[in-house]
Amino acid sequence: MLNNLNIMNNEIKFSAEALAIVKQMISRYPDGKQKSALLPVLHLAQAEFDGWLSVPVMDYVASLLSIKPIEVYEVASFYSMYNLKPVGKCTLEVCRTSSCWLMGAEDIVRHIQNRLGIKDGQTSSDGMFTLKTVECLGSCGTAPMLQCGAKYHENLTLEKVDELLDKLATDNKRTTYLDIV
Amino acid sequence: MPTKLLLNNEHIPGINTLQVYRNNGGYASVEKALKQMTPEAIVEEVKISGLRGRGGAGFPTGMKWSFLAKPAGVPRYLVCNADESEPGTFKDRYLMEKIPHLLVEGMITSSYALGCNTAYIYIRGEYFYVSRILENAIAEAYAAGYLGSNILGTGYNLNLYVQVGGGAYICGEETALLESLEGKRGNPRIKPPFPAIAGLYGCPTVVNNVETIAAVVPIVNNGGEAYSKIGIGKSTGTKLISASGHINKPGVYEIELGIPVEEFIYSDSYCGGIRNGKQLKAVVAGGSSVPVLPTELILKTAAGQPRLMSYESLSEGGFQTGTMLGSGGFIVMDEDTSIVKNLYTFTRFYHHESCGQCSPCREGTGWMEKIMHKILDGHGTLKDVDLLWDIQSKIEGKTICPLGEAAAWPVAAAIRHFRHEFEAYVMQPSSIKDVKHYYRLNNIEPIPA
Ligand SMILES: Cc1cc2nc3c(=O)[nH]c(=O)nc-3n(C[C@H](O)[C@H](O)[C@H](O)COP(=O)(O)O)c2cc1C
Ligand code: FES
């Protein structure tokens, strides 16, 4: 019920630029196959609407692509990059698979946890950072690494992590996968 | 001078731009293919080259191409697999980031050979910034007349698009990739029909890895025969190897197939030896899915021959004493590495990535992760090790797609070659420095790391 009220009150709608991008995305596929644009449109929606996909946002995406809301929920819940709950402004995605583990990913995770006072999956009390441990991001030769928004931070040391967190806190901006880096 | 066919120009400044790329011979294969060759002639050259799929399975590319159905009036698609999520593998990212036009060129030449007018590059979502690099390259190619309609005045039309994924290893499996490209969950399809008959939108489709498609460029330029003379036996050409772990020089290396593993690990032209003067303990040679081998078996085959970086040599001895070239994700572990802990990261990975369609994989991967966790915490029993063996053997061969095998093989290999380590975790947890829970429960001081 609350969600429905939200739709009516602060209307969920893409900006004109974003709508133009959606249109261009749909044009990449044959007629009637506009559902193919779902994954990229969800990325766009997540970037536009505070870094996560609420039910009203997903319903809005469904209406844009003329598909059923369940088709959007199915997809959003399958892929690891879509957040179904609110997240901090900057999500720190730390890889912990083999090569990163060999090169000290555990120390990186522990350091972030201690510094921010949060566990894996949690958001710092100021709403700035969310910590998310992830599986191999294709940066194994420059391990350990973390991804924040579109950017890969590689060959990490504890000092580099501190510098990064300081910088992100000062910038105080939401990072998204769509950022130009 | 090592033979390089893909990364030979990687250090030229500006090679990511069309102009510099073209000044260094770029897009010659498009000119040659579209103006001088028939599509059939290109497929023939690819067959002669002996090129095998670089995504992991090593299937002969020319043969795959010749299976593509060509019903009249039905579109055909070429889809490039840039999902690259096999732990230890980062070569495709490197290639796309450094020399994006090589992939674009390969896509054009290959699409022409297959008679496709629309092609997609499906790239893992985490590589968003790389997708922008590709999109810029594609825009340049359109502007230069290499894409769009009536390419180079030949009457051939091609549109090329980049599609980003949403974060799911399973979407590297080709039918899951196609599902994902259709805007669905990445659930692999039951085969047959194979994509060559019914792929994207039910139309005939070829799915190839980034590196495979890039390799078509030198094959068309120099001929399949010249390519087939590089390498060794049925492992023709060059291969990009992603080297990571405890080595002095991690990175992506283009090797001529057939160089000795020992040379690859210790030569300064490649990995440069083990870090910090330590000894080698084990290698995962082809991405997380392939069997781990201890030093003695990775450097030499069971028959005592030097092990080579080739499909055949790495798999010599079967899984008893051999492994696979796989995706070329080469993970090196030094003498201090815990094989049990490393395996734990793999079991967690496969549990996280199982799509959940098939019970043996969905349940088995979770179960194996739990048992590994228990062993790591110091609560395992010898029966748990046997149980692990039993579970992995019951996943293999019983699932729709090979993720099941990919999850089972690393477990089997770790137990096969390092059973003593599992036994140490189980029987003497107090002697192992990362058995943390055990220390807490028993109120003892852990041995310093
Ligand atoms: C679980 C799983 C993951 C895979 N991941 C990839 C991948 O990331 N990239 C890739 O090219 N092939 C991957 N493959 C192999 C593809 O299914 C397919 O064989 C390959 O893309 C074919 O291209 P190729 O013949 O050029 O190698 C994967 C297979 C499985 C079963
Ligand atoms: S293991 Fe961390 S990026 Fe590959």
Side-chain angles (χ1 to χ4, degrees), chain A residues 28-29 36 79 98 106 178, chain B residues 132 163 184 201 341-342:
Chain A
R28 297 171 184 171
Y29 314 100
S36 277
Y79 296 93
S98 173
E106 282 184 322
L178 276 61
Chain B
R132 286 195 196 277
Q163 169 90 327
K184 301 181 209 154
Y201 311 128
K341 184 82 187 265
N342 184 65

Side-chain angles (χ1 to χ4, degrees), chain B residues 53-55 64 81 84-85 169 172-174 207-209 212 402:
Chain B
R54 304 297 194 222
K64 181 189 261 190
N81 189 342
E84 190 168 73
S85 318
Y169 166 66
E173 193 283 332
E174 56 186 9
V207 181
N208 272 134
N209 175 256
T212 312

